[in-house]
């Protein structure tokens, strides 16, 4: 048997360190067994998937040196490797399940589903919705069908009993069928859900070992059921521990930057990133902290993964990066620095903005240093403004951060439009509204256009600096977040 593994990210938002983590372990496992590692793009959520995000996944994994043997951009015999290009296939398989009675058509509306769930809860039953709960009286089902009302295809799952999932790291894990719902397989728009597409693709792509995040373990019975319904062997399952913030909560961008691009922009070396990810729940047999991907590959053993939630700690990563940097000789250091940001491409972005603002070259670093620096050295006093207080400005920064997080196309005009819209809705002059944004991004209100600056430093660094500024201004408590989020939504809705 040829070992085939895959990483299957969804191209929504920024390329996540968790994707790199899964890619690394799948790559190591495949290489160790002389097998293949595949990249599949799971873009069935069409409303959230973007081409830019897909490209960012390719770029960031390549930057890390986690190369794949087959994938949307390199091809392969088991393609296409993008789920949106396999749509017809899923419908066929869903039909097959309908035909042999493993699946059923469900005409329940979202409101009905909500009340069915509420009823279950009120009756004190700790279980998920099953086919019997969803069934409509025969004539009503026929009426909705005849009227062409929207419907989905769902999976029949056992009402009760235990399902055993064999996990490479945990051995047999028993899960309760009662908690598994009659999973939607094919949505109203004809697109498959994760469950159907994942099973069909893993099977057709000959995947032998599925190494995925622990968050999928609880729903693994539905995957297992699907393999059984199709009469296919389930690939060996392996659920990796979740990466955590230093406070042990699940790694989240509120507490830690999670985008690979952020770390790239901050000037971490890819080999240090891979080294650090390799230390997440895994260790070298001699426990040494610094090792290369080749070294990891040469001794890789998945059984050395320990399940205690590994903490992704930026300070430790920085320490490790320092170790790698110090090993570069001066020439190599310079070369890497140039590749990173001291290059023509970056210079050409910055020069048009500072040329008219300097009289000598010696002023350049002072005016443009923020384009390559990390977090600006700011304090609450840096935000001082004649008419507006820091609490108020902190709120604006939070609104802008949310808008910036939702922004698909990171361009100066779009950024300006977002800022202008918020300023207008808040009844604040745009110049005043942008004051704290200048401080957050450039460290001073006296800089060139802040939206151009945001375009230059990029989405990840801009968002990180906005977050940093909010923290410098005292941060936003959980309670406040709720209130502000409501207000932000109202502002967007024009209320
Ligand atoms: N698209 C899923 C994700 O992004 C894939 C999970 C899996 O590996 O099965 O998490």
């Amino acid at each position: 048997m040829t070992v085939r593994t895959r990483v299957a990210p969804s191209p929504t938002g920024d390329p996540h360190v968790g994707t790199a983590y899964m890619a690394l372990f799948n790559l190591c496992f495949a290489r160790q067994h002389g097998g293949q590692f595949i990249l599949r793009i799971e873009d069935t959520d069409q409303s959230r998937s973007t081409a830019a995000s897909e490209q960012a996944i390719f770029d960031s994994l390549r930057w890390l040196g986690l190369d794949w043997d087959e994938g949307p951009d390199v091809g392969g015999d088991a393609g296409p490797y993008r789920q949106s290009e396999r749509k017809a296939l899923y419908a066929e398989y869903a039909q097959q399940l309908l035909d042999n009675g493993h699946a059923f058509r469900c005409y329940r509306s979202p409101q009905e589903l909500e009340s069915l769930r509420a009823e279950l809860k009120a009756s004190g039953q700790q279980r998920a919705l099953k086919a019997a709960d969803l069934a409509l009286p025969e004539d009503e089902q026929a009426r909705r069908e005849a009227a062409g009302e929207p419907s989905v295809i769902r999976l029949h799952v056992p009402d009760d009993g235990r399902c055993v999932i064999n996990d490479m790291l945990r051995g047999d894990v028993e899960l309760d069928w009662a908690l598994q719902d009659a999973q939607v397989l094919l949505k109203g728009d004809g697109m498959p859900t994760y469950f159907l597409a994942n099973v069909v693709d893993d099977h057709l792509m000959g995947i032998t070992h599925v190494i995925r995040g622990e968050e999928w373990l609880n729903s693994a019975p539905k995957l297992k059921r699907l393999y059984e319904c199709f009469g296919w062997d389930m690939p060996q399952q392996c659920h990796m521990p979740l990466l955590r913030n230093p406070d042990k909560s699940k790694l989240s961008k509120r507490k830690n930057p999670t985008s690979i691009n952020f770390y790239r922009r901050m000037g971490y070396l890819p080999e240090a990133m891979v080294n650090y990810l390799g230390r997440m729940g895994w260790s070298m047999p001699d426990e040494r902290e610094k090792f290369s991907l080749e070294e990891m590959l040469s001794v890789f053993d998945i059984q050395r993964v320990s399940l205690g939630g590994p903490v992704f700690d930026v300070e430790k990563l920085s320490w490790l990066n320092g170790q790698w940097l110090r090993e570069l000789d001066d020439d190599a250091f310079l070369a890497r620095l140039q590749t990173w940001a001291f290059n023509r491409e970056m210079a050409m972005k910055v020069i048009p903005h500072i040329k008219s603002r300097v009289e000598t070259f010696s002023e350049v670093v002072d005016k443009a240093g923020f384009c390559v620096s990390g977090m600006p050295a700011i304090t609450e006093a840096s935000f001082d403004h004649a008419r507006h207080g820091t609490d108020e400005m902190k709120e604006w920064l939070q609104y802008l951060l949310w808008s910036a997080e939702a922004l698909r196309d990171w361009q100066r005009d779009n950024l300006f439009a977002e800022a202008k819209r918020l300023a207008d809705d808040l009844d604040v002059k745009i110049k005043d509204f942008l004051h704290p944004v200048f401080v957050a991004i450039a460290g001073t209100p006296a800089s060139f256009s802040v939206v151009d600056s945001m375009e230059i430093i990029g989405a990840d660094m801009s968002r990180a600096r906005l977050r940093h500024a909010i923290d410098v201004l005292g941060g936003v408590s959980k309670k406040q977040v709720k209130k502000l989020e409501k207000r932000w939504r109202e502002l967007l809705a024009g209320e």
Side-chain angles (χ1 to χ4, degrees):
M1 172 187 77
T2 310
V3 166
R4 283 169 66 82
T5 64
R6 80 331 184 249
V7 68
S10 298
T12 55
D14 302 323
H16 201 278
V17 286
T19 298
Y21 179 48
M22 284 311 125
L24 173 63
F25 280 79
N26 276 285
L27 173 79
C28 286
F29 189 81
R31 291 279 175 278
Q32 178 211 359
H33 291 92
Q36 289 118 25
F37 167 58
I38 291 142
L39 170 65
R40 180 171 73 226
I41 293 292
E42 300 212 326
D43 58 348
T44 54
D45 185 346
Q46 301 257 275
S47 63
R48 295 178 61 227
S49 300
T50 65
S53 169
E54 179 184 293
Q55 190 58 46
I57 291 172
F58 298 162
D59 294 345
S60 56
L61 293 182
R62 280 233 167 79
W63 173 67
L64 291 168
L66 303 174
D67 292 319
W68 46 100
D69 304 302
E70 298 168 32
D73 55 340
V74 297
D77 293 339
Y81 295 92
R82 202 179 270 119
Q83 290 188 327
S84 57
E85 292 168 22
R86 302 169 66 83
K87 193 173 161 190
L89 207 64
Y90 308 121
E92 271 170 42
Y93 281 101
Q95 186 60 46
Q96 186 181 320
L97 294 177
L98 271 184
D99 293 344
N100 56 26
H102 289 308
F104 61 99
R105 212 167 255 292
C106 174
Y107 285 87
R108 292 290 192 171
S109 68
Q111 295 78 358
E112 284 175 315
L113 291 174
E114 210 173 293
S115 55
L116 284 169
R117 281 194 196 104
E119 271 169 42
L120 258 188
K121 204 168 162 203
S123 69
Q125 297 186 63
Q126 285 260 346
R127 63 173 186 85
L129 285 179
K130 307 283 179 175
D133 303 308
L134 297 162
L136 285 163
E138 232 170 75
D139 50 344
E140 179 58 13
Q141 172 98 3
R143 189 196 64 74
R144 293 189 190 188
E145 211 172 310
E149 286 192 16
S151 66
V152 299
I153 296 179
R154 288 178 182 271
L155 178 68
H156 278 293
V157 290
D159 287 340
D160 45 33
R162 311 288 274 173
C163 173
V164 177
I165 299 291
N166 184 267
D167 182 273
M168 287 162 79
L169 302 174
R170 296 167 180 76
D172 283 348
V173 182
E174 279 196 25
L175 293 143
D176 217 336
W177 272 120
L179 300 178
Q180 310 287 323
D181 64 341
Q183 176 62 47
V184 174
L185 301 175
L186 205 69
K187 295 180 276 190
D189 61 2
M191 284 307 266
T193 56
Y194 161 77
F195 292 87
L196 178 65
N198 197 267
V199 165
V200 166
D201 287 349
D202 281 344
H203 175 72
L204 295 181
M205 293 182 182
I207 303 301
T208 56
H209 296 76
V210 168
I211 304 173
R212 57 161 76 91
E214 193 172 13
E215 70 266 37
W216 296 102
L217 182 58
N218 282 340
S219 55
K222 293 188 282 200
L223 297 174
K224 184 170 183 182
R225 174 90 192 138
L226 272 169
Y227 282 103
E228 283 165 4
C229 293
F230 285 124
W232 299 336
D233 286 336
M234 186 177 193
Q236 179 64 55
Q237 301 288 301
C238 178
H239 293 86
M240 293 291 289
L242 281 187
L243 299 183
R244 297 187 183 275
N245 297 308
D247 68 2
K248 291 277 177 187
S249 56
K250 183 178 162 187
L251 188 66
S252 68
K253 63 182 174 197
R254 279 193 209 303
K255 299 195 178 146
N256 248 331
T258 53
S259 160
I260 304 167
N261 286 339
F262 169 79
Y263 293 96
R264 187 173 180 177
R265 269 296 287 110
M266 279 298 278
Y268 289 89
L269 293 171
E271 46 274 58
M273 286 297 291
V274 168
N275 183 171
Y276 193 57
L277 289 173
R279 291 189 38 73
M280 295 289 100
W282 192 84
S283 57
M284 290 292 270
D286 62 4
E287 301 284 334
R288 90 188 108 131
E289 295 195 78
K290 181 170 172 289
F291 51 86
S292 66
L293 177 57
E294 289 69 43
E295 288 169 318
M296 180 171 176
L297 282 169
S298 68
V299 293
F300 187 72
D301 176 2
I302 192 103
Q303 294 305 332
R304 290 188 62 79
V305 170
S306 70
L307 293 173
V311 171
F312 189 91
D313 182 341
V314 181
E315 276 179 32
K316 290 227 173 82
L317 170 63
S318 298
W319 172 85
L320 190 59
N321 199 62
Q323 305 293 307
W324 278 90
L325 275 184
R326 277 186 269 294
E327 276 201 4
L328 300 174
D329 64 29
D330 294 355
D331 274 327
F333 192 103
L334 174 63
R336 299 294 293 265
L337 188 63
Q338 287 176 321
T339 322
W340 172 64
F342 284 76
N343 54 41
R344 186 180 165 81
E345 191 193 344
M346 186 55 141
M348 290 316 243
K349 284 186 194 163
V350 176
I351 289 169
H353 299 292
I354 53 161
K355 217 163 60 174
S356 61
R357 304 174 77 94
V358 299
E359 265 138 22
T360 56
F361 288 144
S362 55
E363 292 164 77
V364 169
V365 168
D366 197 35
K367 294 267 188 302
F370 75 91
C371 294
V372 288
S373 71
M375 295 305 130
I378 46 174
T379 62
E380 186 157 354
S382 319
F383 291 86
D384 269 354
H385 191 273
R387 282 181 302 282
H388 297 281
T390 47
D391 277 346
E392 196 183 359
M393 288 191 269
K394 181 167 72 178
E395 284 187 19
W396 303 346
L397 288 172
Q398 181 63 68
Y399 298 142
L400 185 67
L401 174 59
W402 281 324
S403 294
E405 279 172 351
L407 191 64
R408 286 270 185 94
D409 200 359
W410 196 262
Q411 282 182 20
R412 53 112 45 222
D413 290 345
N414 297 346
L415 285 160
F416 186 77
E418 292 294 332
K420 178 85 172 83
R421 177 161 150 203
L422 286 169
D424 287 351
D425 290 346
L426 287 160
D427 230 352
V428 179
K429 286 201 193 97
I430 180 70
K431 191 162 178 293
D432 291 353
F433 182 85
L434 288 178
H435 170 84
V437 186
F438 269 98
V439 179
I441 299 294
T444 162
S447 182
F448 63 86
S449 149
V450 74
V451 287
D452 283 310
S453 304
M454 290 170 89
E455 185 176 316
I456 291 173
I457 68 172
D460 306 279
M461 183 58 89
S462 299
R463 291 174 191 141
R465 289 192 195 173
L466 291 174
R467 256 180 234 121
H468 175 68
I470 293 168
D471 285 344
V472 167
L473 293 178
V476 181
S477 70
K478 260 197 186 149
K479 211 170 122 198
Q480 251 180 318
V481 165
K482 280 226 168 98
K483 209 183 98 202
L484 292 182
E485 205 174 347
K486 191 165 162 251
R487 179 85 182 101
W488 174 67
R489 290 194 190 288
E490 286 166 2
L491 288 172
L492 291 192
E495 283 166 32

